[in-house]
Amino acid sequence: MAEVEETLKRIQGQKGVQGIIIVNAEGIPIKTTLDNSSTVQYAGLIHQLVMKARTTVRDIDPQNDLTFLRVRSKKNEIMIAPDKDYFLIVIQNPSD
Amino acid sequence: MFTDESLDALGVESLWRKSQQFAQESRGCQTRPVHTAEAEIQPLLNADNGTQTDPQDHLIYQLPPKGELRPESPGLRDFLHRVEDMVLKELASNAKSHAFDGFDVNWEDQNETVSCIHCLQHPSAQEKGLQVTSISWSCTGSVIACAFGRVDDGDWSTEKSCVCTWNLDRRGLNPKRPDMIIDVARPVMSLSFHPSQPSLIAGGLYSGEVVVWDTNRTQDLILAQTGMSTDTHREPVYQVAWVPGPRRGEMVVLSAGSGGRVLLWTVDSDEGRLVLSAGFALIRQQVPHNSALSKNRGSSNVGVTSLALSPWDLDTFLVGSESGLVLKCSFSAQTLAAAPPDGESVTLRAPAQFSFSPRGGPVHSLHCSPFHRNLFVSVGTDGLAHLHSLLQPDPLLSLRVSDSYVFGVRWSPTRPLLFAAATGQGLVQIFDLGRKSLRPAATLDQLTGGQPVYCLEFNPRRKDLLAVGNADGSVNIWHLSTELTEQGPRETAKLEQLANEVAE
């Protein structure tokens, strides 16, 4: 759909963005700008991580909930925006 | 007198008028009686159906654009609406943020020093004065094999030598006693472990033979050998390597010797023979034109002293010769070699495609960078390390490694900008191309009293181990510091930059 593509293009145009993946609630990637094998790897691993992060936040305070997750590593940063039905994963290299 | 009389009428037939009545025949026919039958049907159920297309602007879903196979997911648009602003804001502020500048995390114990953890020796080989000519790590990274022979002997040598292996992960490792000693009748000049089967070792001998040993066997360890036939090299084999064969999963042995031949052998373990499957001959006249060469006299064969396979392109290999030539060759070259046939079973081909600028002496070692497809480094007897790009003949960078010969060079498997070179003065110099200065980042003294270092290899599994083989018959295993093994943040980009520089 044109709107979805446009939004993804806007995100991709930000400085240092290396890739975008949209994953559905079951952990299956539905849109991606990376190659197949990387996408599958990211989708599977990050889905588990987000679930773990969410239960951690809610165990500490049941009224609270996860809104955003950022994983910073030596080479890049992975930003995850979670939702009921989808996750948006953006991989950015801020020093690029 | 007059009486009434009736006379018969007189008739005259017409001669030209005929009777108009023609002959008439009557026929009649009738078909046989026609059979008829009657039947009736009646449906029990009735159904009514109708279709109608919607006018264009009532359609909610449109066909996905070319390339998308999956149907559009409901709610995706709304989800992106919700998160888009937040994500864009975060991305923008992250790109500008200095919050993590200079922030480093220590996950593992930082090793600040470089230390020699093992000094492996084989006393009986050392007594005979044999030198370590080649070392190789097994694919698992735990076994190191070293070949003994002589490099400085100009004469035909019939000395017995051996190949020793040590398993570094075994408890009770005795550096003075190898785990396995394979006796060989001739000096072994080169060694290579099989890339996926940890028990197979291929070796090239001084006599030109190529042997494959299987360390799993208890009795005769030789799995296959070439023997002395018309196919084998006539000169010492300076390099052996395993390359993928024509069938999937099969590996063939590549051997290169100073007779100018590069041969590919398939392992026939039933017969115990190595069968020649393809061969290349390097003839001086067939080398791509380089004016400096045509003045040389002497044998027309280009003796191979070093060989490097490209991990990026399975078809390319690089050859370094005795006269200082560095050639880019291809496995799929079709031109026939101009060598007189010598009874070989396959026709030899000329593989050279491109010639780099020649060096001043034999090229002892070449290695292709595992991080950039176009870069390789070459060293020779002129004491310099040249960093070349495959795309141009002149080197990108020239580093002075030592004042004497340089015998070996290897790129680090973990840091794109690091390589190590083995010198004839007994030192291993490690260069970091990311540094501004051209002096070595580290120098490892082999403590051999100035005797040369002939070969070095990084461990493919454990990234902090470096094995170095010396002329005094010992192999030193060095544990490198974290600075030399941990990849920095922008190394691949810097390497890319280096590779793209064009030499004047």
Side-chain angles (χ1 to χ4, degrees):
Chain A
M1 214 168 354
E3 277 197 52
V4 168
E5 300 296 332
E6 260 181 58
T7 311
L8 290 183
K9 238 192 290 221
R10 269 198 293 273
I11 300 178
Q12 179 89 29
Q14 289 290 316
K15 186 161 176 287
V17 172
Q18 290 175 338
I20 308 174
I21 308 171
I22 302 184
V23 179
N24 72 359
E26 281 118 35
I28 302 169
I30 53 176
K31 269 211 187 303
T32 173
T33 62
L34 298 172
D35 58 291
N36 236 354
S37 53
S38 310
T39 303
V40 168
Q41 207 178 17
Y42 269 106
L45 295 169
I46 290 181
H47 184 77
Q48 298 174 37
L49 184 66
V50 172
M51 288 297 131
K52 185 74 184 168
R54 186 164 185 244
T55 50
T56 309
V57 168
R58 296 183 65 165
D59 281 350
I60 294 172
D61 179 357
Q63 311 301 324
N64 204 355
D65 207 344
L66 180 71
T67 55
F68 204 81
L69 184 62
R70 288 169 68 159
V71 179
R72 196 179 177 99
S73 69
K74 258 199 318 196
K75 296 190 185 174
N76 52 22
E77 175 150 351
I78 308 172
M79 303 206 184
I80 306 141
D83 194 80
K84 183 162 68 83
D85 305 313
Y86 301 99
F87 297 159
L88 173 67
I89 303 166
V90 180
I91 301 142
Q92 183 193 29
N93 188 351
S95 56
D96 254 354
Chain B
M1 174 132 57
F2 292 122
T3 50
D4 285 302
E5 198 143 339
S6 61
L7 289 168
D8 293 315
L10 196 63
V12 177
E13 271 188 43
S14 158
L15 289 171
W16 59 276
R17 276 195 195 193
K18 292 268 174 20
S19 165
Q20 295 293 341
Q21 193 172 18
F22 283 97
Q24 182 180 337
E25 282 182 20
S26 262
R27 291 253 161 136
C29 65
Q30 178 163 345
T31 57
R32 276 197 286 262
V34 177
H35 289 281
T36 58
E38 272 189 29
E40 277 187 8
I41 54 165
Q42 174 146 1
L44 298 170
L45 293 169
N46 275 330
D48 245 319
N49 229 330
T51 62
Q52 178 168 340
T53 57
D54 282 326
Q56 188 70 18
D57 45 10
H58 284 197
L59 278 175
I60 306 170
Y61 291 108
Q62 300 190 7
L63 282 174
K66 221 176 3 160
E68 261 185 55
L69 300 167
R70 282 187 278 264
E72 204 49 74
S73 319
L76 183 62
R77 202 172 39 147
D78 301 323
F79 160 67
L80 280 177
H81 260 158
R82 283 196 295 270
V83 296
E84 182 192 350
D85 289 329
M86 172 170 60
V87 171
L88 284 175
K89 195 161 63 91
E90 290 294 337
L91 285 171
S93 70
N94 198 22
K96 290 194 297 250
S97 146
H98 291 287
F100 287 98
D101 280 356
F103 178 68
D104 265 327
V105 173
N106 288 347
W107 275 107
E108 290 164 0
D109 283 330
Q110 296 284 324
N111 189 11
E112 296 293 329
T113 56
V114 176
S115 57
C116 179
I117 51 175
H118 297 294
C119 180
L120 307 169
Q121 292 161 357
H122 185 207
S124 62
Q126 279 184 313
E127 279 160 27
K128 286 192 264 186
L130 288 175
Q131 302 158 336
V132 176
T133 51
S134 179
I135 49 179
S136 180
W137 289 97
S138 75
C139 57
T140 57
S142 49
V143 179
I144 179 152
C146 76
F148 287 97
R150 271 191 209 289
V151 177
D152 54 1
D153 210 353
D155 205 2
W156 192 259
S157 173
T158 51
E159 198 164 352
K160 279 192 191 298
S161 73
C162 51
V163 171
C164 300
T165 69
W166 281 267
N167 187 333
L168 298 175
D169 289 339
R170 209 183 260 188
R171 258 185 313 169
L173 167 71
N174 184 349
K176 295 267 193 304
R177 206 161 51 94
D179 290 330
M180 175 171 287
I181 308 172
I182 307 173
D183 288 312
V184 190
R186 300 269 183 280
V188 184
M189 303 307 291
S190 54
L191 210 61
S192 177
F193 261 103
H194 192 281
S196 49
Q197 292 180 16
S199 63
L200 297 182
I201 316 176
L205 308 185
Y206 196 84
S207 56
E209 293 171 58
V210 178
V211 188
V212 175
W213 292 286
D214 185 349
T215 51
N216 266 341
R217 293 187 176 193
T218 41
Q219 286 286 9
D220 178 22
L221 290 169
I222 297 182
L223 179 72
Q225 60 181 338
T226 57
M228 290 303 291
S229 68
T230 47
D231 285 340
T232 51
H233 296 271
R234 305 290 158 71
E235 306 268 325
V237 176
Y238 280 113
Q239 283 280 353
V240 283
W242 292 88
V243 291
R247 283 192 289 266
R248 228 170 75 89
E250 188 198 351
M251 300 291 254
V252 297
V253 180
L254 175 122
S255 64
S258 54
R261 300 273 185 274
V262 175
L263 303 174
L264 289 164
W265 306 89
T266 31
V267 177
D268 185 359
S269 41
D270 308 318
E271 302 252 331
R273 286 190 319 131
L274 284 171
V275 180
L276 184 64
S277 64
F280 300 94
L282 287 157
I283 308 292
R284 178 162 288 135
Q285 287 84 0
Q286 283 180 312
V287 167
H289 185 68
N290 205 318
S291 53
L293 303 174
S294 45
K295 304 189 193 101
N296 282 342
R297 305 278 184 84
S299 137
S300 62
N301 284 330
V302 175
V304 176
T305 47
S306 58
L307 191 125
L309 299 166
S310 168
W312 302 90
D313 181 5
L314 293 173
D315 188 45
T316 309
F317 64 101
L318 298 166
V319 156
S321 80
E322 280 170 344
S323 45
L325 287 173
V326 178
L327 301 169
K328 172 173 176 271
C329 306
S330 158
F331 281 119
S332 56
Q334 294 299 327
T335 28
L336 295 176
D342 213 357
E344 290 104 359
S345 45
V346 296
T347 38
L348 300 173
R349 293 176 275 161
Q353 289 182 330
F354 187 71
S355 147
F356 298 94
S357 61
R359 320 258 322 235
V363 178
H364 280 296
S365 188
L366 294 167
H367 200 219
C368 290
S369 168
F371 288 96
H372 196 287
R373 66 179 305 129
N374 283 343
L375 290 179
F376 71 93
V377 64
S378 70
V379 291
T381 50
D382 50 8
L384 298 171
H386 281 196
L387 180 70
H388 276 271
S389 162
L390 280 174
L391 306 173
Q392 61 190 41
D394 291 321
L396 295 168
L397 202 62
S398 253
L399 293 167
R400 170 148 291 276
V401 176
S402 93
D403 296 325
S404 78
Y405 306 162
V406 184
F407 287 104
V409 71
R410 287 284 178 264
W411 287 97
S412 161
T414 48
R415 285 197 61 193
L417 292 172
L418 202 84
F419 67 89
T423 70
Q425 290 163 330
L427 306 168
V428 170
Q429 310 275 31
I430 301 185
F431 287 91
D432 184 350
L433 294 170
R435 292 199 178 183
K436 297 276 191 307
S437 103
L438 294 178
R439 301 193 54 209
T443 305
L444 309 177
D445 190 350
Q446 303 303 314
L447 301 170
T448 54
Q451 289 205 30
V453 177
Y454 285 129
C455 45
L456 75 167
E457 289 286 347
F458 282 93
N459 190 322
R461 286 296 162 104
R462 291 186 51 187
K463 55 186 181 146
D464 49 358
L465 291 185
L466 173 65
V468 179
N470 308 319
D472 67 352
S474 64
V475 176
N476 291 343
I477 311 284
W478 291 85
H479 188 211
L480 298 173
S481 69
T482 330
E483 186 206 347
L484 297 174
T485 51
E486 289 288 324
Q487 197 178 30
R490 307 221 40 220
E491 287 200 33
T492 335
K494 277 196 208 146
L495 194 70
E496 184 74 39
Q497 222 177 4
L498 252 181
N500 290 338
E501 281 170 12
V502 178
E504 276 98 64

